[in-house]
Amino acid sequence: MANKIPRVPVREQDPKVRAHNFSEVCYGYDDAEAALEASRCLNCKNPRCVQGCPVNVKIPAFISHIVSGDIGGAARVISEDSSLPAICGRVCPQETQCEGQCILGVKGEPVAIGKLERYVADWSRKNDVRFSDKAPSNGRKVAVVGSGPSGLACATDLARLGYDVTVFEVLHKAGGVLQYGIPEFRLPKDEVVASEIENVKALGVRIETDVVVGRTVTVDALLGDEKFDAVFIGSGAGLPKFMGIPGENLNGVFSANEFLTRNNLMKAYDSEYDTPIYVGRRVAVVGGGNVAMDAARTALRLGAEVSVVYRRTEKELPARAEEVHHAREEGIEFRMLTNPVEVLSDEKGWVRGLRCIRMELGEPDASGRRKPVPVHGSEFDLEADVVIMSLGTSPNPLIAHTTSGLDVDRHGCIVADESGMTSKPFVYAGGDAVTGAATVILAMGAGRKAAAAIHEKLSDK
């Protein structure tokens, strides 16, 4: 029976080798491996995996096409719901979403849905398969602020419905967090991200870069002078948070956002680019999420010894298990139940270390996790030349401050309902700009919901 077939492992670079390069860690499935893994799918009548996918990809349907050898058919099925399959197949937390709902996972290992999605998307890219079917123009114009996952998903759905869509991106390259936030060894930029964006542009979507909405043009102006019928705000959450401890302004302290942007978008890791970044001999990364893993693994590849400092235990780490596993394989040290209290300075104002205190878990806090409390008298110093703070991000307040009638909450996130509708007529929002930092696929789901709501609204106009 299909469910007796063991999950097909995916081939990866050797940890000792990949720790010194920025090539992609995972090689993905070949044709035979993909066919065998696809054959494990039970093709459930009530597919819980689809319910677990924020964009509701028809998972059993695309997998059945792989089984029959019709990879183009599989690609078409995925394209109906996802505009970024090669990206989602690489970076989505499938273990808590689609794969987390797979019935095979109850007593064994779930189908490797993410790896199969990646296989189909990579096959499409290599065979130049694109799906640009769309409805005739309906004469309506929609502006999308931000070319990250939510903006691209919203733009794709609206373009297919016949809208004239223009995406405004603040940076010089489209992709948002896909460009600046996720390292090359997890998500190749020139090969994968660029190709996915070309698929969106093939639908007629225009992307204007170097446009700072709130400075170059405002949302009010887009609806007024620029005569857009609606605006979707998918500007993400790029404002880093800090601890507020002494020494955070020293030379050698980075936010993870800045550190990864310098490496990913400005290619600090590439000797052909004149944009190096200092890591010294030892780096301490504060935080335990996926971004912290990305920063730690990047610093390691730049030549530093790296420690991840996290105030809870490994059980509470919010990062994907796969990312933590890869980091450990590559030689990154984890200092659990440890919290910084001060960044230490040398005589020249540069980082020389991190003063920490040991923690223990107390009663659960509002998040449901046991609250870490300091152990009195347990302070110690951790040697470090660079400290990277990876404590989350919040939305940049510029758009909210320059848009009339747009409500935000106490965290600076735009207030929007389930459909993405905001307090300002004909303005919708989704993704990290609404929820705070979350995942690529959740942002895409929000973009799709907003596209449907915009279409409904403008169809009645």
Side-chain angles (χ1 to χ4, degrees):
M1 293 177 61
N3 59 6
K4 297 296 183 181
I5 301 172
R7 179 164 163 142
V8 179
V10 67
R11 291 164 292 113
E12 298 176 344
Q13 279 198 73
D14 182 273
K16 293 180 180 178
V17 175
R18 71 182 190 237
H20 302 286
N21 67 57
F22 279 82
S23 299
E24 191 169 11
V25 168
C26 177
Y27 293 128
Y29 285 147
D30 61 22
D31 294 345
E33 291 166 338
L36 180 59
E37 181 60 27
S39 72
R40 299 180 65 234
C41 179
L42 300 178
N43 200 15
C44 303
K45 292 183 179 179
N46 180 28
R48 303 192 313 181
C49 55
V50 176
Q51 300 168 23
C53 173
V55 297
N56 301 124
V57 170
K58 301 172 188 69
I59 294 166
F62 95 73
I63 291 179
S64 68
H65 279 288
I66 299 176
V67 173
S68 65
D70 179 14
I71 313 306
R76 181 169 286 280
V77 170
I78 295 173
S79 73
E80 294 172 2
D81 301 294
S82 176
S83 53
L84 307 172
I87 292 168
C88 292
R90 285 168 164 82
V91 304
C92 277
Q94 292 97 4
E95 65 275 10
T96 59
Q97 294 177 159
C98 55
E99 293 181 19
Q101 296 297 315
C102 177
I103 194 69
L104 288 183
V106 175
K107 294 184 178 180
E109 292 187 289
V111 174
I113 298 168
K115 298 296 188 292
L116 291 175
E117 181 182 26
R118 169 190 166 156
Y119 164 76
V120 172
D122 287 354
W123 179 94
S124 298
R125 183 179 68 255
K126 292 169 185 174
N127 289 277
D128 198 27
V129 174
R130 300 181 190 276
F131 301 101
S132 53
D133 304 339
K134 61 178 183 176
S137 173
N138 59 25
R140 303 281 192 184
K141 291 172 56 180
V142 178
V144 173
V145 180
S147 66
S150 62
L152 293 174
C154 184
T156 296
D157 281 11
L158 288 172
R160 285 178 173 156
L161 290 166
Y163 290 88
D164 181 351
V165 183
T166 303
V167 177
F168 297 99
E169 168 56 44
V170 66
L171 296 173
H172 63 282
K173 279 191 175 183
V177 69
L178 306 173
Q179 284 284 2
Y180 70 76
I182 303 175
E184 186 78 10
F185 55 82
R186 282 216 296 139
L187 184 62
K189 306 296 177 280
D190 295 339
E191 182 181 10
V192 175
V193 176
S195 177
E196 300 277 66
I197 291 172
E198 286 303 312
N199 288 339
V200 177
K201 292 167 70 174
L203 293 165
V205 174
R206 289 186 298 278
I207 300 179
E208 295 188 17
T209 57
D210 300 308
V211 178
V212 184
V213 174
R215 288 288 183 265
T216 311
V217 66
T218 64
V219 171
D220 291 344
L222 290 173
L223 290 170
D225 296 341
E226 301 296 330
K227 294 183 170 51
F228 282 94
D229 295 286
V231 175
F232 173 74
I233 302 173
S235 50
L239 187 65
K241 299 177 182 178
F242 288 87
M243 296 186 69
I245 61 176
E248 278 188 320
N249 293 324
L250 290 172
N251 294 319
V253 178
F254 295 93
S255 70
N257 204 46
E258 178 190 0
F259 183 77
L260 290 170
T261 299
R262 292 275 299 275
N263 279 280
N264 301 334
L265 188 66
M266 300 172 68
K267 297 187 183 296
Y269 64 88
D270 192 330
S271 60
E272 293 186 6
Y273 285 76
D274 190 23
T275 52
I277 190 168
Y278 174 73
V279 293
R281 191 163 63 92
R282 290 189 175 91
V283 171
V285 178
V286 182
N290 289 324
V291 176
M293 298 305 114
D294 285 344
R297 296 173 68 196
T298 296
L300 180 79
R301 283 160 170 76
L302 291 174
E305 298 174 15
V306 183
S307 297
V308 169
V309 178
Y310 183 60
R311 62 182 185 156
R312 289 183 165 96
T313 70
E314 184 162 345
K315 181 180 178 181
E316 287 82 28
L317 275 172
R320 292 183 67 188
E322 181 179 67
E323 301 308 316
V324 175
H325 172 67
H326 282 160
R328 286 193 182 280
E329 279 190 326
E330 291 163 6
I332 289 171
E333 178 186 30
F334 283 74
R335 290 182 172 264
M336 315 307 290
L337 289 171
T338 301
N339 203 38
V341 294
E342 181 181 359
V343 183
L344 303 175
S345 172
D346 66 12
E347 64 278 2
K348 296 181 180 179
W350 284 81
V351 171
R352 69 170 177 84
L354 195 61
R355 180 153 295 159
C356 302
I357 190 167
R358 302 194 189 283
M359 310 292 284
E360 60 184 10
L361 295 183
E363 296 300 314
D365 60 14
S367 71
R369 296 181 297 176
R370 293 175 63 191
K371 184 177 180 179
V373 293
V375 177
H376 180 70
S378 65
E379 293 88 349
F380 69 97
D381 292 348
L382 179 65
E383 186 178 349
D385 305 300
V386 164
V387 173
I388 301 173
M389 295 292 184
S390 182
L391 308 168
T393 54
S394 59
N396 189 311
L398 178 61
I399 292 175
H401 288 173
T402 57
T403 303
S404 63
L406 187 65
D407 291 344
V408 297
D409 64 19
R410 62 188 181 90
H411 301 292
C413 296
I414 297 171
V415 176
D417 67 13
E418 184 70 18
S419 73
M421 185 171 65
T422 72
S423 57
K424 186 176 179 66
F426 300 101
V427 175
Y428 294 75
D432 293 2
V434 171
T435 61
T439 63
V440 167
I441 193 68
L442 287 173
M444 288 177 62
R448 296 201 71 203
K449 287 180 181 178
I454 290 169
H455 178 54
E456 182 179 0
K457 180 73 172 180
L458 296 184
S459 295
D460 295 338
K461 187 176 177 182

